Amino acid sequence: MPLVSVRRARPSDAAEVSALLLRNAEHLAPFEPARPAGWASADGQRGHLETAARLTAEGGAYAAVIELDGRIVGRINLNHIVRGALRSADLGYWVSADVSGRGVATAAVRRMLGVAFGPLELHRVQAGTLVENLASQAVLHRNGFERIGLARRYLRIAGDWRDHVLYQRLVEGG
């Protein structure tokens, strides 16, 4: 079993994340929104990770990298963290094509749920996948997520408004 860990993303990860994004551009393209020019560059990622670190420090997000045996192989985030009566967040993640299908995403989501339901004290984590993204749906099922419905034209992905299957996971005993 590979050693998968999740840790907070840092601006100093920019060069490694950039290289990973550039190597995986074709793999990720069908699942990603259109990005501005230079977004995947080291400078673009440094700016993105600086913003992500600020949002994490402010409590509005939890931006992390996925590591396999100490090497960054993807990203995972809790976005749109809401406190108060809702105590919820949206989960997003991706892994490099060279580790896809090896249980890395499943382990990373499990670890991120530990953060969400542990230190962050959330009640609910939501995730959405493209209708045809059966691999990501399997990751969510393996982590105890339940399907809650279909969101038509939910996100603009690869230039088109695309339907997504929505899932949720509630804290146990909460």
Side-chain angles (χ1 to χ4, degrees), residues 6 31-32 35 61-66 74-80 89-95 105 108-109 112-113 125-129 136 139-140 145 154-155 164 167:
V6 170
F31 309 104
E32 290 285 314
R35 305 286 189 185
Y62 189 95
V65 294
I66 301 168
R75 291 284 318 278
I76 188 165
N77 301 302
L78 291 168
N79 298 306
H80 312 117
D90 294 318
L91 175 71
Y93 57 90
W94 60 267
V95 296
V109 168
M112 188 59 97
L113 288 172
V125 174
Q126 175 179 296
T129 74
S136 192
V139 166
L140 296 173
F145 281 77
Y154 185 63
L155 292 175
H164 281 66
Y167 292 84

Side-chain angles (χ1 to χ4, degrees), residues 28-111:
L28 296 173
F31 309 104
E32 290 285 314
R35 305 286 189 185
W39 183 82
S41 71
D43 285 341
Q45 283 303 295
R46 188 169 299 101
H48 175 70
L49 292 171
E50 286 169 354
T51 299
R54 180 181 50 77
L55 288 171
T56 299
E58 293 170 353
Y62 189 95
V65 294
I66 301 168
E67 293 183 325
L68 175 63
D69 298 327
R71 172 178 64 101
I72 295 175
V73 295
R75 291 284 318 278
I76 188 165
N77 301 302
L78 291 168
N79 298 306
H80 312 117
I81 294 177
V82 178
R83 297 291 175 183
L86 186 58
R87 289 183 22 219
S88 181
D90 294 318
L91 175 71
Y93 57 90
W94 60 267
V95 296
S96 179
D98 67 316
V99 301
S100 185
R102 293 178 39 197
V104 173
T106 297
V109 168
R110 185 176 312 114
R111 282 164 179 65

Side-chain angles (χ1 to χ4, degrees), residues 96-161:
S96 179
D98 67 316
V99 301
S100 185
R102 293 178 39 197
V104 173
T106 297
V109 168
R110 185 176 312 114
R111 282 164 179 65
M112 188 59 97
L113 288 172
V115 172
F117 298 140
L120 295 180
E121 299 180 329
L122 298 178
H123 172 73
R124 178 178 181 275
V125 174
Q126 175 179 296
T129 74
L130 288 166
V131 172
E132 66 274 14
N133 191 345
L134 301 180
S136 192
Q137 292 169 29
V139 166
L140 296 173
H141 283 291
R142 284 191 292 271
N143 277 287
F145 281 77
E146 63 179 316
R147 180 183 167 139
I148 57 174
L150 177 71
R152 297 196 21 81
R153 299 172 46 106
Y154 185 63
L155 292 175
R156 191 167 170 84
I157 301 295
D160 293 315
W161 288 101

